[in-house]
Amino acid sequence: PLSTSLFFVGVLLGSFISGQLSDKFGRKNVLFATLAMQTGFSFIQVFSTSWEMFSVLFVLVGMGQISNYVAAFVLGTEILGKSVRLLFCTLGVCIFYAFGYMLLPLFAFFIRDWRMLLLALTLPGLLFIPLWWVIPESPRWLISQGRFQEAEDIIRKAAKTNGITAPDVIFDPSELQDVNSQKQQTYTILDLMRTRNILTITIMSVLLWMIISVGYFGLSLDTPNLHGDVYVNCFLSAVIEVPAYIISWLLLRYFPRRYSMAAALFLGGCVLLFIQLVPSHITALSILLVMLGKFGITSAFSMVYVYTAELYATVVRNMGVGASSMASRLGSILSPYFVYLGAYDRFLPYILMGSLTVLSGILTLFLPESYGMPLPDTIDQMLRVKGLEYRPPSSSTRDSKEEEENPEILKSTAF
């Protein structure tokens, strides 16, 4: 459990750092720097001469891995249109993740030496190099930094590629002046706790991500303890993620976020609690229930990324997703020890993971609904998310004036 936990410690550190780096230096720069970090340290790991060296490198690989995952996710969220964004966040990112997961037992079955296996899994990282000339920077991030011309160039290029004639004026001069007056303001992790409303969202997101992560990684790492062939079980654990991601995409497309997530979490949690009732000789039913539990939790894991990204504003979105992801890594660090509890009682991991998952389903119902809402760009817009009381920061005189001019805002956005 310790070596696995050390990898997740790296993931935890990466989650904490990557959000702030990405908000400061740009999504694209951080994405490619951390891709290089993951690939480079994985390659060095192949030549490890001791367990200590392997573990230290494993921490660094974990830092790079989560950093590029979050940066890529946020970049896609900000650069794509509403309908395609959902497709990217669920089917795009997640199904290819599942395909990679499926390849793992396949590679491991044919390559039994761990050094050669690690090398085979690392070399595909070199394929990302040409993408530097294909993937653009986030126009939303560029605008938040006051780099309007670069953002306009990217949008005009996209319009040309799509065969659309761009308007002569893309950004309204008054809007540019408004953004320009705010661009000097820097944002830190403390902005996720600026008001009671944002603090509530942050705390609930942190708890939700942590519990979902315990369930997801706990079930994934528990695969070798199931009856039957370890390679087949690992493959089944990966295959079940594909329908889970497809279902989550359909739920996100047509149904409210919080009810969709709560349903997936209740399914996953309740099924895991039922496992203890299955007679020991019916092993196939136990495996089926574990896979069904993995299905529910995986669906929720896919949806929570989209949900969290929609709740936070552009100026702190990467930080918000990064902080939530960091909390989920605390769950993933604990998950190997949840699995280890199975040595004392076979059903104990399932009882604990099932109970926590049902609890997180209840928690989801208290989050604000973002379905059908425009993606917020500023913290002020984020405060207007449906279900939150709008209270502008006292330090902002401009917001106070807006409040006086638009008293209906308070009524229309109250919970």
Side-chain angles (χ1 to χ4, degrees), residues 5 33 58 62 95 106 111 113 121 131 133 146 164 172-173 178 185 190 221-222 256 277 306 308 335 376 379 407:
S5 289
F58 218 12
I95 283 194
L106 189 67
I111 307 171
D113 178 65
L121 297 172
L131 295 179
W133 293 275
I164 296 168
D172 185 270
D178 184 38
Q185 186 176 358
L190 295 176
L221 295 171
D222 191 53
L277 304 177
V306 180
T308 308
S335 61
I379 286 182

Side-chain angles (χ1 to χ4, degrees), residues 201-213:
I201 285 183
T202 302
I203 291 172
M204 292 173 76
S205 295
V206 159
L207 288 172
L208 193 59
W209 280 64
M210 190 185 300
I211 293 170
I212 292 174
S213 184

